Amino acid sequence: MAKLRGFKVIGTCSKGKADIGESLGCDELIVLDEVPGTSYEDYESVDIVSRVMEVTDGKGCKAVIDGIGKSTVDISIGSLAHRGIFISFGNASGAVPAFPVLRLIGKSAYVTRPKLLDYTVDRAELVSRADEIFGWLKDGKLNVSVDCAFPLEEAAEGHLYLEAGKSKGKVLYKID
């Protein structure tokens, strides 16, 4: 979606998911080792901030969208450009701990923790946003990768699959 809006995209993924990451069209993909015995990314295996600065000619990112949380907050803030925005939307590794706002002063950076309902406040806004996304899908500009589907009766197994970091796309639940 960011590429459709004209942004340069830098992504990260584990070695076990590099083929998926490469297929998604990132301008730069930083491939990380996996934590031994898991399929989770080892965020300490590569100096991500240095790599981001190298890729951006020392400028950093205008926006960092972080769905991981606790394990990546320092990387995300460190990767920001002057007046960049850190968008924290997920807690996959735990909630982002509170931090002093003065931490952002060096770059005059911004931070936000958005929630979906604030971006679809009424039916008209929901329909407008959905129409845009469905238009991209219809025109072949946006692809959705479905990894697998679980019967609704196996929802617990589906959640365990997600929690184990095994998914390589969307995980769906079938209602029969």
Side-chain angles (χ1 to χ4, degrees):
M1 293 174 131
K3 287 195 62 88
L4 289 172
R5 296 281 187 167
F7 292 97
K8 179 178 184 173
V9 175
I10 302 170
T12 63
C13 70
S14 65
K15 285 182 179 176
K17 296 181 181 181
D19 56 334
I20 305 272
E22 290 167 0
S23 73
L24 295 175
C26 290
D27 296 291
E28 182 69 30
L29 183 64
I30 302 171
V31 179
L32 309 170
D33 291 337
E34 294 171 347
V35 174
T38 75
S39 58
Y40 295 124
E41 296 88 345
D42 178 356
Y43 291 101
E44 296 179 3
S45 67
V46 173
D47 186 344
I48 298 170
V49 174
S50 292
R51 185 73 188 111
V52 165
M53 291 303 170
E54 179 184 329
V55 170
T56 61
D57 296 321
K59 294 177 183 163
C61 299
K62 293 178 182 178
V64 174
I65 303 170
D66 185 339
I68 303 300
K70 184 178 180 180
S71 296
T72 54
V73 62
D74 294 331
I75 295 165
S76 295
I77 292 172
S79 297
L80 287 173
H82 184 71
R83 293 190 305 259
I85 185 168
F86 167 45
I87 304 161
S88 174
F89 75 92
N91 300 319
S93 67
V96 172
F99 60 88
V101 72
L102 283 175
R103 182 171 179 195
L104 305 171
I105 198 168
K107 297 180 180 182
S108 293
Y110 300 87
V111 63
T112 186
R113 178 65 161 114
K115 68 181 190 298
L116 180 61
L117 293 178
D118 286 335
Y119 291 86
T120 54
V121 295
D122 57 31
R123 177 110 180 115
E125 189 172 19
L126 173 66
V127 170
S128 172
R129 292 182 184 281
D131 284 349
E132 182 175 34
I133 292 168
F134 286 123
W136 290 336
L137 288 166
K138 181 182 167 197
D139 295 343
K141 295 177 181 177
L142 180 65
N143 298 307
V144 177
S145 172
V146 176
D147 178 9
C148 61
F150 288 88
L152 189 56
E153 303 80 45
E154 296 176 19
E157 289 85 357
H159 282 273
L160 291 173
Y161 184 79
L162 286 168
E163 290 171 16
K166 295 179 181 177
S167 64
K168 293 186 175 186
K170 300 298 178 194
V171 175
L172 307 178
Y173 295 97
K174 294 186 281 185
I175 300 173
D176 293 323

